[in-house]
Amino acid sequence: MRILMCTTLVVINYLAYAQRTVSGTVLNENNEGIPGASVTIKDLDLGTITDMNGYFQLSIPEQKKTLLVSAIGYLTQQVAIGSKSKVVIRMPIEVKELQALTIFGDEVINFSTKANELTPTTYADISKEKIEERNLGLDLPILLNFTPSIVTTSDAGAGVGYTGMRIRGSDATRINVTLNGIPINDSESHGVYWVNMPDLSSSLDKIQIQRGVGTSSNGAAAFGATVNLKSSGFSKDAFAQINQTIGSFNTLKTNIKFNTGVINNNFNFEGRLSHITSDGYIDRAQSDLYSYFFTGGYYGGKTTIKALLFGGQEETYQSWYGTPEARLKNNENALQAVIDNSGEYNTAEQLDNLLNSDRTFNYYLYDNEIDHYEQNHYQLHLNHVFNNNLNLALSGHYTHGKGYYEQYRSKDDFADYGMDNVTVGNDTITQTDLIRRRWLDNDFYGFTYAFNYNKDNLLMTLGGGYNTYKGKHFGEIIWSEFASTSTIRDRYYEGSSTKNDFNIFLKTNYQLSSKVNLFGDLQMRTINYDTEGTDNDLSNYQVGEKYTFFNPKFGLTYSLNDHFQLYGSFAVAHREPVRNDFIDAPVGDIPSPEQLQNLELGFRGNLDNIHMESNIYLMDYTNQLILTGAVNDVGSSIRVNTPDSYRLGIEMVFSIEVADQWNWGLNVALSKNKIKKFTEVMFDYAFTDDRYTVENEFRDTDIAFSPNIVIGNDITFSHQGFSTQLLTKFVGNQFLDNTSNENRMIKSYFINDLRFAYQLQAFGMRKIELTLMINNLLNVTYESNGYTWGYLYDGYPYQQNNYYPQAGINLLTGLSLKF
């Protein structure tokens, strides 16, 4: 690894002399610097943004002679720089339609959380154009599949419905997600449920993924990565747009967008309505998704006020169970073992479903085995500039979510629902078929703020936020074969939660010299979490925990020359246990919070038509919470703190423009993900009175769901409105648990997607675009996720792996009309 790093540095230093540096200031009509202006190299997807004073510095290839400069509310400028190098370019932006309008509010919203070329952290920016390339109804994680170190999955197997992603092996509960700086993660589980925000990608302007702790300031701790989303909104020109997708598995997407353009020099409004349906690859894994997005704003000379309303309703048929490995391999003996040992196939209908299905097997048969949830978000952003050095971003938010998943249950004990047995004549009935719904009803609200100060060589942000979560968990019985003592919608469990989350941070960038920039970030976060009630297994719980975390981050960037940087940073993050860690823990046990120490060392630079990045990272965990196989006194799986675990890896990103038509992008992530000491707990159910546990100790074992190699590849050809793109993804072996047992593994897979697009102007329309996506071009048979469980009976082991198969070759076609 060291040899690779040193060799790469030598090559880059040698090639660097084909570059030169251009610096400048972007000014408005009052000769004031415009912050957040985009400065890019014409015909290259490379560039930077101006700082709070409108200053930029950019390395460009020798043969490139033109820069493109744009800022919200101003006309895009082409600036010819000829053969000059190392000169200051002053470019006043000419304002025509918007004489009194200086719009930078959208940039200020994310200024305190966004990384840039001076930030010593590892990140990737995804532009609006890149988002739109594959935006044919697939969920946002699937659209991000080809970015560095990301592994994605889809329960339904076709990218619509319940989807998820892992970054550097960390799941959604360890990835901090914000939209316009507002936390999106669920306060109790820390998860992000993208199915609750269908087609959100159609209303995004930019995405930034920071790997590691990053510069995250608001919301849940970033224990793997941060995903900062910036919504679309302001447009100088009015437009209307219709997008239609049709594809395999009866996938349909329709959305309508509009933007009013500028009204009375100061107002702008945008809206979207979307509907997505799909049958899914897995049997009965249908999705029916609605969403909306509306934003409007006042854009003044020094003040911007922007409001957002967005949300959606999802109804998906459950496909959470997965497919038994024996079914995937069509192994009759193993299928019989599943029937004999799992205890889950007790009816002729269930047996027929298991034995006569294929890779698309779905355990659930009840016609309304659905997940139904509705979520509505409200955001209000105020941005004000006091002077050239000081501005304020203040945001308030409110989210309401409510929904349930419905289940048919066969032969459940009355006692499991707190109901009395039924006596009929001389017979006592102890079991019944029933239908239940498990509900979540929650509210999340609060505010964030950031004072940004910029003068001379110092950029400083004082910010923070206060958020409150209130949630209710309850279960209802909506039908029962035998009524017992229940009534319709009888709540057999109920609990409530309140969580208050406060944080304050001070973030600084200081330009020590022309080569050295220092970065510091000190955050204090306090959490008060209270929850009490009865859980779905009828156990009582009462939790009241308080935490105070101090999370420092330090780093620097160093310019080896005018166009190439090294950076290094060290960051500490803490994370509180999630709801299930408290509730499922054995009586008397309280899980400890986790700590992460993150070291990032890397370089980035532009070489002629080449962009290169490479970084080494170490993520060292203390008290990481992991599943061991242990269960509590009512049989619920529990996570326990493991003292010492780590992730060590190297990530490389490379892109090159070949001529004016070909682009090649490649990213490679190699990692080692280890738990220094892991104890697996298995139960021997032959001892019915007092279950006997067997503990198996492992050392230096792999962390589950953490492939040692992930590769993404992107080859694009573009010419006169036509483009084609080959996207390739390789994901190495992943273990289903922490034992490094090759019999409990997701095998590596290599998939290719092919995209064709043609764009033209005709019939008086601004844009007509046709797109064809061929997913899994080579029809690879693979699984992207799974789980494993097992037990002993009188010393003999039984282990079952369940997987989530993904679709073979499938198509999506799209038509976009912009008026």
Side-chain angles (χ1 to χ4, degrees):
M1 186 178 296
R2 292 179 180 175
I3 294 174
L4 176 61
M5 183 76 170
C6 293
T7 302
T8 306
L9 291 178
V10 171
V11 172
I12 288 175
N13 266 314
Y14 175 76
L15 295 174
Y17 293 101
Q19 295 274 307
R20 56 197 171 98
T21 297
V22 173
S23 60
T25 304
V26 180
L27 302 173
N28 65 14
E29 73 279 9
N30 297 321
N31 207 36
E32 299 170 334
I34 299 176
S38 173
V39 183
T40 60
I41 305 167
K42 186 178 180 181
D43 300 325
L44 282 181
D45 189 20
L46 298 174
T48 186
I49 62 171
T50 58
D51 63 16
M52 294 304 296
N53 290 322
Y55 176 79
F56 73 90
Q57 182 173 302
L58 181 63
S59 299
I60 68 170
E62 282 288 354
Q63 76 274 21
K64 294 298 180 180
K65 311 297 183 183
T66 306
L67 298 179
L68 296 178
V69 182
S70 62
I72 297 175
Y74 299 88
L75 297 179
T76 297
Q77 301 291 301
Q78 291 195 28
V79 181
I81 58 174
S83 59
K84 299 177 183 178
S85 63
K86 298 184 179 179
V87 295
V88 174
I89 299 174
R90 295 186 175 274
M91 301 178 301
I93 302 299
E94 181 184 3
V95 181
K96 292 184 177 179
E97 295 96 332
L98 312 176
Q99 290 291 335
L101 197 56
T102 304
I103 299 173
F104 47 83
D106 285 355
E107 295 296 339
V108 173
I109 288 174
N110 287 331
F111 193 84
S112 62
T113 58
K114 187 177 180 181
N116 57 48
E117 62 179 10
L118 295 180
T119 309
T121 191
T122 307
Y123 68 92
D125 287 324
I126 298 95
S127 66
K128 184 181 185 69
E129 292 72 24
K130 282 293 182 182
I131 298 170
E132 290 178 344
E133 283 179 352
R134 303 177 64 236
N135 186 20
L136 299 176
L138 302 177
D139 281 2
L140 188 60
I142 308 302
L143 300 184
L144 300 177
N145 183 48
F146 297 93
T147 50
S149 288
I150 288 187
V151 177
T152 64
T153 188
S154 167
D155 284 8
V160 179
Y162 269 89
T163 61
M165 63 182 172
R166 294 187 173 92
I167 302 178
R168 288 185 177 176
S170 297
D171 65 19
T173 67
R174 296 164 185 272
I175 300 172
N176 179 29
V177 180
T178 61
L179 176 63
N180 301 325
I182 302 299
I184 296 297
N185 297 70
D186 177 76
S187 292
E188 288 195 293
S189 70
H190 290 188
V192 177
Y193 302 99
W194 300 101
V195 70
N196 298 336
M197 301 174 287
D199 204 26
L200 178 63
S201 51
S202 291
S203 297
L204 294 180
D205 185 58
K206 297 177 183 177
I207 301 173
Q208 184 176 88
I209 301 174
Q210 301 173 17
R211 303 189 293 277
V213 172
T215 63
S216 59
S217 302
N218 299 317
F223 256 53
T226 296
V227 178
N228 290 326
L229 309 174
K230 178 181 176 295
S231 66
S232 61
F234 182 83
S235 173
K236 174 172 63 72
D237 300 316
F239 68 84
Q241 189 169 354
I242 300 173
N243 300 290
Q244 180 69 60
T245 296
I246 183 170
S248 301
F249 317 116
N250 291 322
T251 299
L252 291 170
K253 169 191 167 180
T254 303
N255 80 13
I256 302 173
K257 296 177 63 176
F258 73 88
N259 193 294
T260 63
V262 179
I263 300 175
N264 294 332
N265 283 335
N266 293 105
F267 297 92
N268 179 254
F269 301 90
E270 180 172 302
R272 171 184 57 81
L273 295 173
S274 301
H275 184 209
I276 302 173
T277 59
S278 177
D279 289 347
Y281 169 67
I282 300 299
D283 288 343
R284 299 178 296 283
Q286 302 98 339
S287 298
D288 191 2
L289 316 174
Y290 293 89
S291 68
Y292 66 91
F293 178 91
F294 295 101
T295 180
Y298 166 80
Y299 299 85
K302 290 181 177 287
T303 302
T304 300
I305 301 174
K306 184 176 180 179
L308 287 87
L309 296 83
F310 66 97
Q313 177 181 291
E314 63 88 5
E315 187 167 287
T316 56
Y317 192 93
Q318 295 175 30
S319 51
W320 304 339
Y321 185 87
T323 303
E325 182 178 21
R327 178 63 279 163
L328 292 174
K329 294 182 176 180
N330 198 26
N331 186 319
E332 293 185 4
N333 292 332
L335 280 170
Q336 190 59 50
V338 169
I339 295 168
D340 294 340
N341 295 291
S342 68
E344 297 174 330
Y345 301 91
N346 301 316
T347 69
E349 188 179 19
Q350 289 173 323
L351 287 172
D352 180 70
N353 183 40
L354 177 66
L355 295 175
N356 296 296
S357 187
D358 53 22
R359 290 180 55 81
T360 65
F361 168 84
N362 190 341
Y363 174 80
Y364 303 109
L365 297 172
Y366 167 52
D367 61 359
N368 205 44
E369 195 96 5
I370 61 168
D371 181 75
H372 179 98
Y373 196 81
E374 181 177 350
Q375 194 172 72
N376 299 289
H377 300 253
Y378 309 88
Q379 295 184 4
L380 182 63
H381 301 279
L382 167 67
N383 303 284
H384 181 72
V385 173
F386 298 99
N387 53 51
N388 288 339
N389 306 116
L390 182 65
N391 68 72
L392 167 67
L394 178 65
S395 301
H397 67 91
Y398 170 66
T399 300
H400 177 68
K402 186 175 183 180
Y404 61 87
Y405 64 92
E406 184 169 313
Q407 292 180 305
Y408 172 81
R409 302 287 297 177
S410 176
K411 308 303 180 186
D412 272 8
D413 293 339
F414 285 115
D416 291 341
Y417 300 89
M419 296 188 295
D420 296 334
N421 293 333
V422 173
T423 301
V424 179
N426 295 325
D427 298 326
T428 299
I429 300 173
T430 62
Q431 296 179 325
T432 184
D433 295 348
L434 56 82
I435 299 172
R436 67 189 186 190
R437 287 179 176 174
R438 293 186 175 181
W439 282 84
L440 176 62
D441 185 351
N442 54 31
D443 298 279
F444 179 60
Y445 53 88
F447 68 89
T448 64
Y449 66 92
F451 288 93
N452 299 302
Y453 176 79
N454 188 310
K455 187 173 183 180
D456 299 326
N457 296 329
L458 178 66
L459 171 61
M460 181 179 296
T461 299
L462 174 64
Y466 185 82
N467 301 301
T468 295
Y469 169 88
K470 293 183 180 294
K472 295 179 180 179
H473 301 261
F474 57 91
E476 295 178 341
I477 299 172
I478 65 171
W479 173 84
S480 179
E481 180 184 13
F482 301 102
S484 181
T485 55
S486 69
T487 59
I488 188 170
R489 302 196 186 280
D490 184 22
R491 293 189 179 183
Y492 64 96
Y493 74 90
E494 187 169 13
S496 61
S497 304
T498 300
K499 186 174 185 178
N500 296 308
D501 189 336
F502 167 81
N503 79 87
I504 185 171
F505 64 87
L506 180 65
K507 187 177 299 185
T508 61
N509 269 294
Y510 181 68
Q511 194 72 37
L512 184 64
S513 68
S514 61
K515 290 183 176 292
V516 179
N517 183 83
L518 302 179
F519 171 81
D521 182 358
L522 303 177
Q523 184 205 46
M524 183 73 71
R525 182 171 178 238
T526 64
I527 300 156
N528 292 339
Y529 180 54
D530 295 288
T531 182
E532 62 179 348
T534 304
D535 198 20
N536 59 70
D537 56 18
L538 302 191
S539 61
N540 295 319
Y541 62 88
Q542 184 172 4
V543 178
E545 292 296 320
K546 298 181 179 181
Y547 301 97
T548 299
F549 297 139
F550 177 60
N551 300 316
K553 309 177 183 77
F554 302 99
L556 64 85
T557 57
Y558 179 77
S559 298
L560 288 176
N561 45 49
D562 292 334
H563 48 268
F564 181 73
Q565 284 185 334
L566 297 176
Y567 67 88
S569 65
F570 177 77
V572 177
H574 295 81
R575 178 176 179 269
E576 72 276 16
V578 301
R579 179 179 186 269
N580 287 347
D581 293 325
F582 292 112
I583 293 177
D584 294 335
V587 176
D589 288 357
I590 300 176
S592 299
E594 304 168 280
Q595 184 192 76
L596 168 61
Q597 299 183 47
N598 179 205
L599 177 66
E600 302 278 336
L601 300 172
F603 68 84
R604 48 191 173 226
N606 301 316
L607 311 172
D608 201 2
N609 295 334
I610 301 174
H611 176 73
M612 298 184 68
E613 299 177 24
S614 183
N615 63 281
I616 297 173
Y617 66 87
L618 172 64
M619 302 172 68
D620 190 44
Y621 299 92
T622 300
N623 285 331
Q624 185 176 186
L625 285 160
I626 61 173
L627 288 168
T628 65
V631 297
N632 61 13
D633 54 349
V634 293
S636 296
S637 298
I638 63 173
R639 299 197 308 173
V640 300
N641 296 107
T642 186
D644 204 349
S645 55
Y646 68 91
R647 301 182 187 276
L648 175 65
I650 180 170
E651 296 165 322
M652 294 166 283
V653 178
F654 171 86
S655 64
I656 182 171
E657 180 189 24
V658 183
D660 294 328
Q661 299 164 334
W662 290 92
N663 284 277
W664 176 35
L666 175 70
N667 60 79
V668 180
L670 307 173
S671 63
K672 184 179 181 181
N673 310 276
K674 295 292 184 179
I675 302 173
K676 292 188 176 180
K677 181 181 178 181
F678 171 71
T679 302
E680 177 192 34
V681 178
M682 297 193 72
F683 286 90
D684 194 325
Y685 287 92
F687 299 86
T688 55
D689 295 331
D690 184 16
R691 288 178 299 182
Y692 176 69
T693 62
V694 174
E695 295 185 355
N696 301 313
E697 186 173 297
F698 299 85
R699 292 187 178 273
D700 202 33
T701 187
D702 290 90
I703 301 176
F705 302 105
S706 301
N708 292 336
I709 179 169
V710 178
I711 300 175
N713 185 66
D714 179 348
I715 300 174
T716 304
F717 171 80
S718 303
H719 182 65
Q720 295 183 351
F722 171 79
S723 66
T724 183
Q725 183 180 32
L726 176 65
L727 295 159
T728 300
K729 188 78 172 185
F730 176 80
V731 178
N733 294 332
Q734 306 172 64
F735 293 104
L736 294 173
D737 62 12
N738 303 299
T739 64
S740 296
N741 188 330
E742 293 187 359
N743 294 320
R744 310 173 193 174
M745 187 171 68
I746 303 171
K747 292 185 178 180
S748 64
Y749 54 88
F750 177 75
I751 56 173
N752 294 271
D753 296 348
L754 185 62
R755 181 182 70 90
F756 297 97
Y758 183 66
Q759 188 177 128
L760 72 157
Q761 290 180 324
F763 310 110
M765 297 183 187
R766 293 187 184 181
K767 183 182 76 170
I768 302 174
E769 185 170 13
L770 298 168
T771 305
L772 170 65
M773 277 292 307
I774 307 174
N775 300 307
N776 196 358
L777 178 67
L778 302 181
N779 201 28
V780 174
T781 298
Y782 74 105
E783 299 81 42
S784 61
N785 198 11
Y787 62 94
T788 187
W789 58 275
Y791 60 87
L792 299 171
Y793 189 85
D794 199 18
Y796 292 95
Y798 173 73
Q799 194 77 28
Q800 180 174 317
N801 301 329
N802 280 31
Y803 294 96
Y804 295 89
Q806 302 300 291
I809 185 170
N810 62 96
L811 307 178
L812 290 171
T813 58
L815 172 63
S816 178
L817 304 176
K818 189 172 184 179
F819 304 89

